[in-house]
Amino acid sequence: MIVLASKSPRRKEILKDLGYDFIVCPAKKDEVFDLSLGLDEALKKVAESKAKEVREFFSDSIIISADTIVCLDQKILGKPKSKEDAIKTLNALSNRRHQVKTGVCVIYKNQTFLHVETTDVYFKKLTEQDIISYVNSGKCMDKAGSYGIQECDFVDHIEGDYTNVVGLPKYVVESIMKDVAL
């Protein structure tokens, strides 16, 4: 059995598109980033912590967890705390390159696979109206960086994996799942 340790509908959709049958059991602990480790290592630790928490309930299952962050100038842009925060974040991203990083952890029995995927995202120059309209839609409030690539027209282009920006790099998951000894 495969267990997705996330409540993200986007991760659920990507895993379903890969053809896996799975159940969802989100981790409940708060995410704690130990930035003394560096961004990639801290992200791996968060993903691993989620997988280990869920593994306690499904010890014979394959556990898949992930955590995605948006970084601008090496600073993590989390989920917005308010509409004003979302507007500020989107203004900062306008006409700039930023990175989306997803830490992926797959645990099965005594095997742990960890990976961080990084995608460069280049935003168009956004108008104030673009930003306010999107923020008022409410779609930005549960997303790191205050946007969902699949639901806005802010991106000029990306370098890397589109599904990573959505929240789960499918090629990484496919590759790891081939290595999992069943």
Side-chain angles (χ1 to χ4, degrees), residues 44-161:
K44 285 179 189 176
K45 286 288 184 198
V46 170
E48 185 177 25
S49 171
K50 289 179 178 183
K52 284 182 173 178
E53 177 189 333
V54 171
R55 181 176 157 197
E56 290 184 25
F57 304 102
F58 300 94
S59 59
D60 291 331
S61 298
I62 299 169
I63 312 297
I64 301 172
S65 66
D67 197 66
T68 301
I69 58 173
V70 174
C71 302
L72 179 65
D73 301 327
Q74 294 296 315
K75 180 182 174 217
I76 297 173
L77 303 176
K79 295 176 184 175
K81 295 173 178 50
S82 64
K83 285 185 174 185
E84 293 75 22
D85 189 32
I87 290 168
K88 182 179 169 187
T89 298
L90 291 170
N91 272 312
L93 294 173
S94 178
N95 208 33
R96 305 254 332 257
R97 176 185 65 88
H98 62 278
Q99 293 186 315
V100 176
K101 293 177 170 284
T102 302
V104 177
C105 179
V106 177
I107 295 179
Y108 181 59
K109 297 188 177 179
N110 63 346
Q111 300 176 89
T112 300
F113 300 88
L114 292 165
H115 180 83
V116 173
E117 187 70 14
T118 302
T119 301
D120 288 330
V121 180
Y122 296 79
F123 261 30
K124 301 173 185 175
K125 178 140 182 66
L126 305 178
T127 67
E128 201 62 32
Q129 185 56 45
D130 291 335
I131 293 170
I132 290 170
S133 177
Y134 183 66
V135 169
N136 284 337
S137 77
K139 294 176 182 175
C140 64
M141 298 309 290
D142 67 336
K143 293 175 184 70
S146 302
Y147 77 96
I149 193 169
Q150 68 281 5
E151 61 193 21
C152 68
D153 188 29
F154 296 166
V155 176
D156 180 65
H157 68 281
I158 67 168
E159 293 173 1
D161 185 345

